[in-house]
Amino acid sequence: MRIRGPAALVIALVAAVVCGAAGLDWTNEGVTAAGSAVSAAARANGTIRGRVDLRQPPADTLPRTSVTDLGMSAPHAPIDRRSVVYLDPAPRAAFDTREEPRPRMDQRNETFVPHVLAVVAGTTVDFPNSDQTYHNVFSLSKTRSFDLGRYAVGRSKAVRFDRPGIVRVFCDIHSHMSAFILVFSHRYFSVVDDEGRYRLENVPPGTYTVVAWNESAPLESRRVVIAEAGGDVEINFALGRR
Amino acid sequence: MLIGVHARRLLLALSCVAKATCVVAATCVATAARAGAQPLPEGPVRLLDGRVALSGEVVATIGSRDEVAWFNYTDYEHNALRMMRLGLTAAWRPAERVAFVGEIRSEDLEHPSAYAAYVRVRPWRRYNFDIQAGRIPPTFGAFSRHAYGTDNPVIGYPLAYQYLTSLRTDAVPATADDLLEMRARGWRSSFPIGSQTPGPGVPMITAFRWDTGVQVRWKQGPIEVTSALTNGTLSNPRVRDDNGGKQIAGRVVLTPGVGWIIGASAARGAWLSRDIPSQTTLPPQRALGADLEYSRDHWIVRGEVVWTRWSFPVPLWPANVDQVGALAAWGEGRYRITPRLYLAGRADRMTFTRLRGSVPKSRAQPWDAPVTRIEGGVGVYLQRNLVLRTTVQGNWRTAGRVHDRAFLSAQLAYWF
């Protein structure tokens, strides 16, 4: 069979997408690391803190223009694209299990709230619908693919995330809705606050790599040493192209 | 015997589609390792500090040829099941309540044309009331409301929106026999009055061109009302008016609960070109439509009924009818089995009013050949905005050189 114009374009299109997907479905090998050899017992633990700034603020996602729309689209609130900081590798104590409240990723005003959620592997996340319209939360990520189907306001569905990695979450009905769930195999991670500050507490003495992640910038990492006596270490990041 | 011929055709088509799919899959594997490449855009591209949003759609469809039955032709040149469609949409919002929207589209890599080009104004901030002027979105019907690449669960179009009847806007039959002779020849019909050059007929509603005019839309709670005044008609949307008559169309949509959409549409407009002689009035095309959609969990079910009548300038001898009608109904469903995989199907039927020819004691028969179409298939989301579909479509009609034909086709649709 001759490959004509449409087929050739199809091939090129798929090729480009797959190349892109290779970078998209990032699974953080470091997150699954077996842990540090440092013994946490009988030594003072330290704190790693600092700020993550973005050199260029990420552009807001625009709703896809549909020429069939009959009316003006409603303005959407800007998305809070927060960064996440985590240790790689993590100390052994990080794998201890703890009971924590069940996190939720809400759907409000056609936006996932929060836009970035970080959880420990094995966590179940609730996805309530607080809008007046249907939503259809789904993910095609290798880390965890799921499709919750369409459900109305007031209802909630849940998904358990067992494997570490990044899960991109979308709504099948509203193309401008997206979110990230970062699943870690340990507890040494922190989503930055409104000021971009983070804090990783109770880190045992040892040498680690602190990694800063933001969806709009390449990963950045720094080596950090927590002394035997513990103490605070400040590490600041500026993500994005200079 | 007939089954054998169809089976061979289907196997041949299957072979072609399988080869194409293999090539695509092989390319995927071969290129997957190139991790440094940039991904295709996932959402609209922002320009001018976000004031302009650029989005696009690429839909490549490969299927078996059909140069005998013409079931899926949108005109004499284009087959909806063998088409490469490129669309680029730009929306510029210079002010909060003013937007300019346009789409340039190319089919089969031909020169691009403006599919949509209109300005949208919201006069009052407090009211959900919009005015659109230019080459505007269709008012009539439910299928027109959906974006083809993202929302069409199968590959083919509903008959009402694509199948070419034998009627033409630039030529009309003089007698009932003229019309009956053209049954199932919508791809290339000819009539004695008007243009003498054979050409494609018109569908009930075309999904491939938009009309030009002014549209108003008001939405309050669960009710949405739209009305438009345009140059063309449902069958023949136009940029420039060719008959001095306007079409008025209206649509009411009710969403009584989450997941439900109930719609009703109506339209009336002069459909024949002024070039046809002996027109003292402007014969109209009239149409009524009703549609329903329900979705829940992993299901979407839709259905639509469209009824239309085309009037002629003079009654057809000997039947003495001055209008003919058509009725189309279709239902479709989609079920998502996994996050990536879904099943979909559509059942479609189009029938025509009956009239009697000049043959003595002959029975009245539909003025065009009734058609039934069933299409089913699967879709795979390779990425959130990239879907691969494969469908099998069967068509049956009661006249024409070919009465039935099956098509296997595959489609890759990407949008951002």
Side-chain angles (χ1 to χ4, degrees), chain B residues 118-119 129-137 139 211-217 226-231 246-249:
Chain B
Y118 58 89
V119 59
F129 178 82
D130 297 281
I131 301 170
Q132 304 192 128
R135 201 154 199 191
I136 51 175
T139 301
D211 218 337
T212 309
V214 180
Q215 186 176 50
V216 292
R217 171 257 200 185
T226 310
S227 184
L229 191 71
T230 55
N231 285 338
K246 301 293 180 192
Q247 174 183 262
I248 182 143

PDB file of all heavy atoms in Angstrom, chain B residues 118-119 129-137 139 211-217 226-231 246-249:
ATOM      1  N   TYR B 118     -16.540  35.341  12.615  1.00  0.00           N
ATOM      2  CA  TYR B 118     -17.611  36.173  13.153  1.00  0.00           C
ATOM      3  C   TYR B 118     -17.123  36.975  14.360  1.00  0.00           C
ATOM      4  O   TYR B 118     -16.096  36.670  14.963  1.00  0.00           O
ATOM      5  CB  TYR B 118     -18.829  35.328  13.537  1.00  0.00           C
ATOM      6  CG  TYR B 118     -18.587  34.233  14.542  1.00  0.00           C
ATOM      7  CD1 TYR B 118     -18.692  34.475  15.900  1.00  0.00           C
ATOM      8  CD2 TYR B 118     -18.277  32.946  14.128  1.00  0.00           C
ATOM      9  CE1 TYR B 118     -18.480  33.469  16.822  1.00  0.00           C
ATOM     10  CE2 TYR B 118     -18.059  31.927  15.040  1.00  0.00           C
ATOM     11  CZ  TYR B 118     -18.159  32.190  16.386  1.00  0.00           C
ATOM     12  OH  TYR B 118     -17.947  31.195  17.302  1.00  0.00           O
ATOM     13  N   VAL B 119     -17.892  37.995  14.650  1.00  0.00           N
ATOM     14  CA  VAL B 119     -17.626  38.783  15.847  1.00  0.00           C
ATOM     15  C   VAL B 119     -18.710  38.460  16.869  1.00  0.00           C
ATOM     16  O   VAL B 119     -19.872  38.258  16.511  1.00  0.00           O
ATOM     17  CB  VAL B 119     -17.588  40.296  15.520  1.00  0.00           C
ATOM     18  CG1 VAL B 119     -18.891  40.773  14.910  1.00  0.00           C
ATOM     19  CG2 VAL B 119     -17.271  41.120  16.769  1.00  0.00           C
ATOM     20  N   PHE B 129     -26.493  37.226  27.280  1.00  0.00           N
ATOM     21  CA  PHE B 129     -27.074  37.477  25.963  1.00  0.00           C
ATOM     22  C   PHE B 129     -25.941  37.877  25.019  1.00  0.00           C
ATOM     23  O   PHE B 129     -25.179  38.795  25.302  1.00  0.00           O
ATOM     24  CB  PHE B 129     -28.106  38.606  26.062  1.00  0.00           C
ATOM     25  CG  PHE B 129     -28.734  38.979  24.752  1.00  0.00           C
ATOM     26  CD1 PHE B 129     -29.786  38.250  24.233  1.00  0.00           C
ATOM     27  CD2 PHE B 129     -28.262  40.074  24.025  1.00  0.00           C
ATOM     28  CE1 PHE B 129     -30.365  38.595  23.026  1.00  0.00           C
ATOM     29  CE2 PHE B 129     -28.835  40.428  22.810  1.00  0.00           C
ATOM     30  CZ  PHE B 129     -29.887  39.686  22.312  1.00  0.00           C
ATOM     31  N   ASP B 130     -25.833  37.156  23.895  1.00  0.00           N
ATOM     32  CA  ASP B 130     -24.731  37.401  22.969  1.00  0.00           C
ATOM     33  C   ASP B 130     -25.251  37.594  21.553  1.00  0.00           C
ATOM     34  O   ASP B 130     -26.253  36.988  21.151  1.00  0.00           O
ATOM     35  CB  ASP B 130     -23.767  36.212  22.972  1.00  0.00           C
ATOM     36  CG  ASP B 130     -23.129  36.016  24.332  1.00  0.00           C
ATOM     37  OD1 ASP B 130     -22.192  36.745  24.662  1.00  0.00           O
ATOM     38  OD2 ASP B 130     -23.613  35.138  25.079  1.00  0.00           O
ATOM     39  N   ILE B 131     -24.550  38.432  20.823  1.00  0.00           N
ATOM     40  CA  ILE B 131     -24.864  38.647  19.411  1.00  0.00           C
ATOM     41  C   ILE B 131     -23.636  38.222  18.620  1.00  0.00           C
ATOM     42  O   ILE B 131     -22.509  38.604  18.950  1.00  0.00           O
ATOM     43  CB  ILE B 131     -25.174  40.136  19.131  1.00  0.00           C
ATOM     44  CG1 ILE B 131     -26.352  40.594  19.990  1.00  0.00           C
ATOM     45  CG2 ILE B 131     -25.480  40.350  17.652  1.00  0.00           C
ATOM     46  CD1 ILE B 131     -26.571  42.094  19.956  1.00  0.00           C
ATOM     47  N   GLN B 132     -23.865  37.439  17.573  1.00  0.00           N
ATOM     48  CA  GLN B 132     -22.761  37.008  16.720  1.00  0.00           C
ATOM     49  C   GLN B 132     -23.113  37.381  15.284  1.00  0.00           C
ATOM     50  O   GLN B 132     -24.240  37.155  14.839  1.00  0.00           O
ATOM     51  CB  GLN B 132     -22.531  35.500  16.854  1.00  0.00           C
ATOM     52  CG  GLN B 132     -22.291  35.098  18.300  1.00  0.00           C
ATOM     53  CD  GLN B 132     -21.768  33.688  18.469  1.00  0.00           C
ATOM     54  OE1 GLN B 132     -20.770  33.494  19.124  1.00  0.00           O
ATOM     55  NE2 GLN B 132     -22.434  32.705  17.894  1.00  0.00           N
ATOM     56  N   ALA B 133     -22.144  37.918  14.581  1.00  0.00           N
ATOM     57  CA  ALA B 133     -22.394  38.333  13.201  1.00  0.00           C
ATOM     58  C   ALA B 133     -21.212  37.940  12.334  1.00  0.00           C
ATOM     59  O   ALA B 133     -20.063  38.082  12.723  1.00  0.00           O
ATOM     60  CB  ALA B 133     -22.604  39.845  13.141  1.00  0.00           C
ATOM     61  N   GLY B 134     -21.545  37.439  11.140  1.00  0.00           N
ATOM     62  CA  GLY B 134     -20.506  36.996  10.214  1.00  0.00           C
ATOM     63  C   GLY B 134     -20.835  35.601   9.725  1.00  0.00           C
ATOM     64  O   GLY B 134     -22.007  35.259   9.545  1.00  0.00           O
ATOM     65  N   ARG B 135     -19.808  34.808   9.510  1.00  0.00           N
ATOM     66  CA  ARG B 135     -20.041  33.399   9.157  1.00  0.00           C
ATOM     67  C   ARG B 135     -20.172  32.651  10.476  1.00  0.00           C
ATOM     68  O   ARG B 135     -19.171  32.322  11.117  1.00  0.00           O
ATOM     69  CB  ARG B 135     -18.880  32.864   8.319  1.00  0.00           C
ATOM     70  CG  ARG B 135     -19.270  31.664   7.527  1.00  0.00           C
ATOM     71  CD  ARG B 135     -18.456  31.464   6.282  1.00  0.00           C
ATOM     72  NE  ARG B 135     -19.167  30.579   5.369  1.00  0.00           N
ATOM     73  CZ  ARG B 135     -18.638  30.046   4.301  1.00  0.00           C
ATOM     74  NH1 ARG B 135     -17.406  30.307   3.968  1.00  0.00           N
ATOM     75  NH2 ARG B 135     -19.357  29.256   3.524  1.00  0.00           N
ATOM     76  N   ILE B 136     -21.384  32.400  10.864  1.00  0.00           N
ATOM     77  CA  ILE B 136     -21.718  32.046  12.252  1.00  0.00           C
ATOM     78  C   ILE B 136     -21.975  30.549  12.430  1.00  0.00           C
ATOM     79  O   ILE B 136     -22.251  29.835  11.462  1.00  0.00           O
ATOM     80  CB  ILE B 136     -22.969  32.829  12.713  1.00  0.00           C
ATOM     81  CG1 ILE B 136     -24.090  32.660  11.668  1.00  0.00           C
ATOM     82  CG2 ILE B 136     -22.634  34.287  12.948  1.00  0.00           C
ATOM     83  CD1 ILE B 136     -25.403  33.273  12.074  1.00  0.00           C
ATOM     84  N   PRO B 137     -21.906  30.070  13.663  1.00  0.00           N
ATOM     85  CA  PRO B 137     -22.217  28.657  13.923  1.00  0.00           C
ATOM     86  C   PRO B 137     -23.668  28.346  13.575  1.00  0.00           C
ATOM     87  O   PRO B 137     -24.530  29.222  13.672  1.00  0.00           O
ATOM     88  CB  PRO B 137     -21.987  28.507  15.426  1.00  0.00           C
ATOM     89  CG  PRO B 137     -21.233  29.709  15.851  1.00  0.00           C
ATOM     90  CD  PRO B 137     -21.535  30.795  14.875  1.00  0.00           C
ATOM     91  N   THR B 139     -27.435  27.309  13.805  1.00  0.00           N
ATOM     92  CA  THR B 139     -28.432  27.429  14.865  1.00  0.00           C
ATOM     93  C   THR B 139     -29.213  26.129  15.003  1.00  0.00           C
ATOM     94  O   THR B 139     -29.561  25.712  16.097  1.00  0.00           O
ATOM     95  CB  THR B 139     -29.402  28.585  14.532  1.00  0.00           C
ATOM     96  OG1 THR B 139     -28.640  29.780  14.414  1.00  0.00           O
ATOM     97  CG2 THR B 139     -30.472  28.754  15.587  1.00  0.00           C
ATOM     98  N   ASP B 211     -23.283  29.178   7.467  1.00  0.00           N
ATOM     99  CA  ASP B 211     -24.037  30.255   6.853  1.00  0.00           C
ATOM    100  C   ASP B 211     -23.536  31.614   7.343  1.00  0.00           C
ATOM    101  O   ASP B 211     -22.781  31.701   8.318  1.00  0.00           O
ATOM    102  CB  ASP B 211     -25.522  30.083   7.210  1.00  0.00           C
ATOM    103  CG  ASP B 211     -26.419  30.444   6.046  1.00  0.00           C
ATOM    104  OD1 ASP B 211     -25.963  31.203   5.186  1.00  0.00           O
ATOM    105  OD2 ASP B 211     -27.574  29.973   6.023  1.00  0.00           O
ATOM    106  N   THR B 212     -23.983  32.651   6.656  1.00  0.00           N
ATOM    107  CA  THR B 212     -23.550  34.004   6.997  1.00  0.00           C
ATOM    108  C   THR B 212     -24.755  34.841   7.416  1.00  0.00           C
ATOM    109  O   THR B 212     -25.781  34.838   6.714  1.00  0.00           O
ATOM    110  CB  THR B 212     -22.869  34.660   5.783  1.00  0.00           C
ATOM    111  OG1 THR B 212     -21.882  33.757   5.293  1.00  0.00           O
ATOM    112  CG2 THR B 212     -22.203  35.970   6.160  1.00  0.00           C
ATOM    113  N   GLY B 213     -24.634  35.509   8.508  1.00  0.00           N
ATOM    114  CA  GLY B 213     -25.746  36.317   8.982  1.00  0.00           C
ATOM    115  C   GLY B 213     -25.531  36.797  10.400  1.00  0.00           C
ATOM    116  O   GLY B 213     -24.400  36.959  10.853  1.00  0.00           O
ATOM    117  N   VAL B 214     -26.636  36.981  11.089  1.00  0.00           N
ATOM    118  CA  VAL B 214     -26.603  37.491  12.462  1.00  0.00           C
ATOM    119  C   VAL B 214     -27.329  36.500  13.365  1.00  0.00           C
ATOM    120  O   VAL B 214     -28.369  35.947  12.996  1.00  0.00           O
ATOM    121  CB  VAL B 214     -27.289  38.872  12.553  1.00  0.00           C
ATOM    122  CG1 VAL B 214     -27.250  39.407  13.979  1.00  0.00           C
ATOM    123  CG2 VAL B 214     -26.620  39.871  11.627  1.00  0.00           C
ATOM    124  N   GLN B 215     -26.781  36.302  14.545  1.00  0.00           N
ATOM    125  CA  GLN B 215     -27.325  35.308  15.470  1.00  0.00           C
ATOM    126  C   GLN B 215     -27.394  35.915  16.868  1.00  0.00           C
ATOM    127  O   GLN B 215     -26.468  36.626  17.280  1.00  0.00           O
ATOM    128  CB  GLN B 215     -26.375  34.104  15.476  1.00  0.00           C
ATOM    129  CG  GLN B 215     -26.798  32.904  16.261  1.00  0.00           C
ATOM    130  CD  GLN B 215     -25.776  31.777  16.070  1.00  0.00           C
ATOM    131  OE1 GLN B 215     -24.587  31.987  16.213  1.00  0.00           O
ATOM    132  NE2 GLN B 215     -26.252  30.605  15.717  1.00  0.00           N
ATOM    133  N   VAL B 216     -28.474  35.657  17.532  1.00  0.00           N
ATOM    134  CA  VAL B 216     -28.566  36.097  18.928  1.00  0.00           C
ATOM    135  C   VAL B 216     -28.813  34.872  19.797  1.00  0.00           C
ATOM    136  O   VAL B 216     -29.462  33.912  19.376  1.00  0.00           O
ATOM    137  CB  VAL B 216     -29.701  37.126  19.150  1.00  0.00           C
ATOM    138  CG1 VAL B 216     -29.381  38.438  18.471  1.00  0.00           C
ATOM    139  CG2 VAL B 216     -31.041  36.585  18.687  1.00  0.00           C
ATOM    140  N   ARG B 217     -28.273  34.923  20.990  1.00  0.00           N
ATOM    141  CA  ARG B 217     -28.403  33.782  21.900  1.00  0.00           C
ATOM    142  C   ARG B 217     -28.591  34.304  23.313  1.00  0.00           C
ATOM    143  O   ARG B 217     -27.906  35.246  23.731  1.00  0.00           O
ATOM    144  CB  ARG B 217     -27.155  32.922  21.784  1.00  0.00           C
ATOM    145  CG  ARG B 217     -27.033  31.819  22.806  1.00  0.00           C
ATOM    146  CD  ARG B 217     -26.047  32.238  23.865  1.00  0.00           C
ATOM    147  NE  ARG B 217     -25.540  31.098  24.598  1.00  0.00           N
ATOM    148  CZ  ARG B 217     -24.737  31.214  25.650  1.00  0.00           C
ATOM    149  NH1 ARG B 217     -24.325  32.391  26.041  1.00  0.00           N
ATOM    150  NH2 ARG B 217     -24.319  30.161  26.300  1.00  0.00           N
ATOM    151  N   THR B 226     -31.733  30.416  20.869  1.00  0.00           N
ATOM    152  CA  THR B 226     -30.878  30.975  19.820  1.00  0.00           C
ATOM    153  C   THR B 226     -31.727  31.226  18.590  1.00  0.00           C
ATOM    154  O   THR B 226     -32.608  30.421  18.256  1.00  0.00           O
ATOM    155  CB  THR B 226     -29.750  29.987  19.450  1.00  0.00           C
ATOM    156  OG1 THR B 226     -29.107  29.556  20.644  1.00  0.00           O
ATOM    157  CG2 THR B 226     -28.728  30.636  18.537  1.00  0.00           C
ATOM    158  N   SER B 227     -31.450  32.332  17.916  1.00  0.00           N
ATOM    159  CA  SER B 227     -32.142  32.620  16.667  1.00  0.00           C
ATOM    160  C   SER B 227     -31.158  33.266  15.707  1.00  0.00           C
ATOM    161  O   SER B 227     -30.228  33.960  16.136  1.00  0.00           O
ATOM    162  CB  SER B 227     -33.329  33.546  16.926  1.00  0.00           C
ATOM    163  OG  SER B 227     -34.040  33.742  15.729  1.00  0.00           O
ATOM    164  N   ALA B 228     -31.360  33.030  14.410  1.00  0.00           N
ATOM    165  CA  ALA B 228     -30.423  33.578  13.429  1.00  0.00           C
ATOM    166  C   ALA B 228     -31.136  33.947  12.142  1.00  0.00           C
ATOM    167  O   ALA B 228     -32.120  33.309  11.746  1.00  0.00           O
ATOM    168  CB  ALA B 228     -29.321  32.569  13.138  1.00  0.00           C
ATOM    169  N   LEU B 229     -30.611  34.958  11.507  1.00  0.00           N
ATOM    170  CA  LEU B 229     -31.073  35.384  10.179  1.00  0.00           C
ATOM    171  C   LEU B 229     -29.868  35.265   9.256  1.00  0.00           C
ATOM    172  O   LEU B 229     -28.842  35.915   9.501  1.00  0.00           O
ATOM    173  CB  LEU B 229     -31.557  36.831  10.238  1.00  0.00           C
ATOM    174  CG  LEU B 229     -32.302  37.346   9.009  1.00  0.00           C
ATOM    175  CD1 LEU B 229     -33.673  36.692   8.906  1.00  0.00           C
ATOM    176  CD2 LEU B 229     -32.456  38.864   9.082  1.00  0.00           C
ATOM    177  N   THR B 230     -29.988  34.423   8.220  1.00  0.00           N
ATOM    178  CA  THR B 230     -28.806  34.140   7.396  1.00  0.00           C
ATOM    179  C   THR B 230     -29.126  34.204   5.907  1.00  0.00           C
ATOM    180  O   THR B 230     -30.294  34.170   5.501  1.00  0.00           O
ATOM    181  CB  THR B 230     -28.257  32.735   7.718  1.00  0.00           C
ATOM    182  OG1 THR B 230     -29.310  31.783   7.548  1.00  0.00           O
ATOM    183  CG2 THR B 230     -27.733  32.671   9.137  1.00  0.00           C
ATOM    184  N   ASN B 231     -28.055  34.234   5.107  1.00  0.00           N
ATOM    185  CA  ASN B 231     -28.194  34.342   3.656  1.00  0.00           C
ATOM    186  C   ASN B 231     -28.646  33.052   2.988  1.00  0.00           C
ATOM    187  O   ASN B 231     -29.356  33.067   2.000  1.00  0.00           O
ATOM    188  CB  ASN B 231     -26.857  34.751   3.032  1.00  0.00           C
ATOM    189  CG  ASN B 231     -26.555  36.211   3.269  1.00  0.00           C
ATOM    190  OD1 ASN B 231     -27.450  36.998   3.527  1.00  0.00           O
ATOM    191  ND2 ASN B 231     -25.288  36.574   3.187  1.00  0.00           N
ATOM    192  N   LYS B 246     -34.020  35.449   2.857  1.00  0.00           N
ATOM    193  CA  LYS B 246     -33.234  35.117   4.045  1.00  0.00           C
ATOM    194  C   LYS B 246     -33.812  33.880   4.729  1.00  0.00           C
ATOM    195  O   LYS B 246     -34.991  33.557   4.555  1.00  0.00           O
ATOM    196  CB  LYS B 246     -33.240  36.279   5.040  1.00  0.00           C
ATOM    197  CG  LYS B 246     -32.683  37.578   4.488  1.00  0.00           C
ATOM    198  CD  LYS B 246     -31.203  37.476   4.208  1.00  0.00           C
ATOM    199  CE  LYS B 246     -30.660  38.780   3.647  1.00  0.00           C
ATOM    200  NZ  LYS B 246     -29.306  38.645   3.098  1.00  0.00           N
ATOM    201  N   GLN B 247     -32.971  33.223   5.497  1.00  0.00           N
ATOM    202  CA  GLN B 247     -33.455  32.119   6.324  1.00  0.00           C
ATOM    203  C   GLN B 247     -33.537  32.579   7.766  1.00  0.00           C
ATOM    204  O   GLN B 247     -32.629  33.242   8.267  1.00  0.00           O
ATOM    205  CB  GLN B 247     -32.500  30.931   6.241  1.00  0.00           C
ATOM    206  CG  GLN B 247     -32.904  29.806   7.214  1.00  0.00           C
ATOM    207  CD  GLN B 247     -31.935  28.654   7.208  1.00  0.00           C
ATOM    208  OE1 GLN B 247     -32.165  27.649   6.555  1.00  0.00           O
ATOM    209  NE2 GLN B 247     -30.841  28.799   7.929  1.00  0.00           N
ATOM    210  N   ILE B 248     -34.603  32.209   8.402  1.00  0.00           N
ATOM    211  CA  ILE B 248     -34.698  32.444   9.841  1.00  0.00           C
ATOM    212  C   ILE B 248     -34.697  31.083  10.530  1.00  0.00           C
ATOM    213  O   ILE B 248     -35.386  30.157  10.095  1.00  0.00           O
ATOM    214  CB  ILE B 248     -35.935  33.290  10.225  1.00  0.00           C
ATOM    215  CG1 ILE B 248     -35.930  33.536  11.731  1.00  0.00           C
ATOM    216  CG2 ILE B 248     -37.248  32.644   9.799  1.00  0.00           C
ATOM    217  CD1 ILE B 248     -36.414  34.890  12.119  1.00  0.00           C
ATOM    218  N   ALA B 249     -33.871  30.972  11.525  1.00  0.00           N
ATOM    219  CA  ALA B 249     -33.746  29.691  12.236  1.00  0.00           C
ATOM    220  C   ALA B 249     -33.780  29.946  13.728  1.00  0.00           C
ATOM    221  O   ALA B 249     -33.346  31.008  14.202  1.00  0.00           O
ATOM    222  CB  ALA B 249     -32.442  28.999  11.857  1.00  0.00           C
TER     223      ALA B 249
END
